[in-house]
Amino acid sequence: MRLINTKTYALHDSDGLADPEYAILSHRWVGAEVTFQQLDSATWRAANLHGPQMSKIKAACAKARENELDWLWVDTCCIDKTSSVELSSSLNSMFEWYFKAAVCYAYLYDVDWNATAHQMSKSQDPKRAGQEAAWFERGWTLQELLAPRHMEFFDRNWVLMGTKGSLADILHARTGIAKAYLTGASNFRQASIATRMSWMAGRTTAKVEDIAYALLGLLRINMEIHYGEGVRAFMRLQRILLETSTDESIFAWTTPSKGLQCYHKHFPQTAGTWNPKEWGLLAPSPDCFAKHTDLVILADRYVPRLVGGYRWTQQGVHFQMPVKPGTELTNAFGVTRWGDITLTLNCWKPDAAGGGGGEKTYSNVTVRLEKMGSKFLNKGAYRRVRCGELGQGSKVKTNSVLGVDQMVTRPLTIVQPEFDPDM
């Protein structure tokens, strides 16, 4: 990790510093930002110290000095992006760096602050007239909002707007993230995968792969960075989650009414193999979770899956389903039925009506599957259908009913198509 000396603006390796306290900057990249190669050059610093490129870094350093901090980290110039090894390590470490910072300065370059009204203006960028601050739409600022323990927000003139706590109502309205997660009253990592994915919905990144990479810290996973893999990065992230988590809300998504917004910038005519009516169990984009921020995992109702749970195969997601003769999946002779079946998930949605005493009640989330291929081939192969809806209903089946009727297991694979918007 490299840090900027807030007095000299020179870069230093933190390994040579004794447990340095540092500030960290969260911002929207605009124009020609300062690079590592530039700031690492004493000649360049001397020639450009008073130029427009350095203004943001100098302002952030000034705020750090006010907080008696000698060091600052900025993503544009503290990473040597010409080194793939360093870039991969940095992206996997970035959440931790924001968490460990003494303070995070969020600089919103395009808004003004009205202290009297306690109100943030719309974007003052002529290209974004009438929209919210660009900071709220950037993919990377999601983890930069949630990771820091102390955070201060500044408008375009570096006027202090407030802290994450004092601005919690505004931040909640802009991001959809519950105030308890913003203030630290609740640990956001206790939120379901679907909820955390929903926070990324609608955000965009300069590189399509960063839609996945920007979620690493929020989902508490590491993965190799491969720029050039395109939308496959998000699919690879989900496969890692299947190996490391039992949170089945990863399967609880629906086709977004506005399309795949996070890919629109990169693929304006997104089509390819994407069929919104039938798909696999894994979503093609975080936008598919936009409407499902309220899904929860209830530990006291969780039913363990049989025979090692579920896993990823070359075909798709594989389950060992507990079944009984004469049910939706098999006829009275135990032969697989033809047509749709319901897959009940270990995740729950609040019921609209609630309980009689006003308490919250929950129902399991379900998705619909359809048998694929010939009746004599692909006997265990299904695909997800009715992808525009989630059902609510029965509990996850166990291997017995009231501890008496033993069920048998039947292999079930939900085939996962390859999403390729270039096709």
Side-chain angles (χ1 to χ4, degrees):
M1 182 186 192
R2 295 186 186 85
L3 295 169
I4 303 169
N5 185 301
T6 59
K7 298 183 180 70
T8 67
Y9 310 115
L11 286 168
H12 293 263
D13 195 318
S14 64
D15 289 343
L17 305 172
D19 196 22
E21 279 195 306
Y22 60 92
I24 200 164
L25 182 66
S26 174
H27 64 117
R28 180 74 169 83
W29 290 24
V30 180
E33 297 281 355
V34 178
T35 67
F36 162 73
Q37 283 73 21
Q38 290 172 330
L39 197 63
D40 197 40
S41 166
T43 302
W44 187 92
R45 291 199 307 274
N48 294 273
L49 183 60
H50 303 293
Q53 261 187 292
M54 281 292 293
S55 60
K56 190 191 315 185
I57 292 175
K58 288 170 63 179
C61 283
K63 293 299 177 185
R65 291 196 300 272
E66 289 177 13
N67 293 133
E68 300 182 346
L69 293 170
D70 296 328
W71 306 103
L72 172 74
W73 189 88
V74 182
D75 56 353
T76 53
C77 54
C78 290
I79 302 173
D80 181 2
K81 298 177 182 65
T82 64
S83 167
S84 59
V85 173
E86 180 175 334
L87 181 59
S88 181
S89 174
S90 297
L91 296 188
N92 277 285
S93 303
M94 205 173 290
F95 185 93
E96 180 184 3
W97 292 346
Y98 275 89
F99 175 77
K100 289 184 175 180
V103 59
C104 175
Y105 303 133
Y107 174 61
L108 279 60
Y109 82 95
D110 57 345
V111 299
D112 291 316
W113 177 246
N114 185 327
T116 303
H118 193 72
Q119 190 172 20
M120 191 182 298
S121 75
K122 298 291 186 180
S123 177
Q124 301 302 298
D125 186 333
K127 297 178 181 178
R128 298 179 49 79
Q131 300 181 60
E132 301 295 349
W135 188 88
F136 291 108
E137 296 180 2
R138 180 174 175 245
W140 285 106
T141 56
L142 176 57
Q143 72 168 6
E144 294 165 13
L145 171 63
L146 288 165
R149 292 167 291 176
H150 179 58
M151 194 168 188
E152 297 178 352
F153 289 80
F154 296 87
D155 74 1
R156 62 175 176 166
N157 297 309
W158 285 94
V159 172
L160 178 64
M161 295 187 283
T163 65
K164 191 157 50 171
S166 68
L167 297 174
D169 286 329
I170 294 175
L171 297 173
H172 166 67
R174 300 291 195 279
T175 66
I177 302 173
K179 288 189 285 185
Y181 295 134
L182 293 168
T183 61
S186 297
N187 185 345
F188 75 86
R189 280 180 168 151
Q190 294 176 347
S192 68
I193 286 177
T195 297
R196 282 177 278 172
M197 290 285 198
S198 75
W199 300 336
M200 182 60 80
R203 293 174 179 259
T204 60
T205 55
K207 296 180 179 179
V208 65
E209 296 88 351
D210 285 337
I211 289 294
Y213 303 156
L215 285 164
L216 296 181
L218 273 71
L219 298 171
R220 213 167 192 170
I221 61 174
N222 291 306
M223 62 186 281
E224 293 184 10
I225 305 302
H226 298 306
Y227 283 112
E229 66 178 326
V231 297
R232 294 176 183 84
F234 184 65
M235 190 61 63
R236 188 159 61 91
L237 177 141
Q238 291 180 92
R239 293 175 187 176
I240 293 173
L241 284 171
L242 294 185
E243 299 172 359
T244 58
S245 173
T246 58
D247 184 340
E248 295 182 20
S249 70
I250 190 174
F251 306 129
W253 57 271
T254 52
T255 50
S257 57
K258 295 182 180 180
L260 305 178
Q261 295 296 300
C262 65
Y263 297 145
H264 181 73
K265 171 183 174 182
H266 307 279
F267 311 103
Q269 305 300 324
T270 300
T273 55
W274 167 243
N275 183 337
K277 294 182 179 179
E278 55 185 47
W279 198 245
L281 273 186
L282 300 181
S285 156
D287 291 333
C288 299
F289 295 90
K291 296 180 180 179
H292 308 300
T293 191
D294 59 347
L295 298 187
V296 298
I297 304 300
L298 302 175
D300 60 333
R301 299 191 194 180
Y302 190 90
V303 178
R305 295 286 181 184
L306 297 177
V307 197
Y310 49 81
R311 59 188 173 86
W312 173 259
T313 70
Q314 289 182 331
Q315 277 191 301
V317 182
H318 181 82
F319 285 84
Q320 287 284 352
M321 292 287 289
V323 297
K324 287 180 64 181
T327 63
E328 183 178 37
L329 192 58
T330 63
N331 63 21
F333 301 100
V335 178
T336 302
R337 288 185 185 276
W338 199 253
D340 290 6
I341 64 169
T342 299
L343 174 62
T344 305
L345 301 176
N346 268 308
C347 62
W348 292 262
K349 184 177 179 64
D351 295 320
E359 74 280 4
K360 277 189 176 181
T361 59
Y362 299 86
S363 296
N364 285 83
V365 173
T366 65
V367 295
R368 296 294 291 178
L369 307 177
E370 178 184 75
K371 193 80 171 63
M372 291 181 64
S374 164
K375 294 184 179 182
F376 304 101
L377 298 173
N378 299 321
K379 289 186 177 180
Y382 289 78
R383 63 183 162 213
R384 185 179 168 191
V385 292
R386 306 186 204 175
C387 295
E389 63 187 56
L390 293 178
Q392 289 180 253
S394 60
K395 298 178 181 179
V396 173
K397 294 182 175 67
T398 63
N399 62 342
S400 64
V401 177
L402 300 178
V404 179
D405 295 329
Q406 295 298 315
M407 293 186 179
V408 296
T409 61
R410 185 174 298 278
L412 184 72
T413 298
I414 299 88
V415 174
Q416 185 69 43
E418 185 76 21
F419 177 61
D420 188 353
D422 287 325
M423 291 182 64

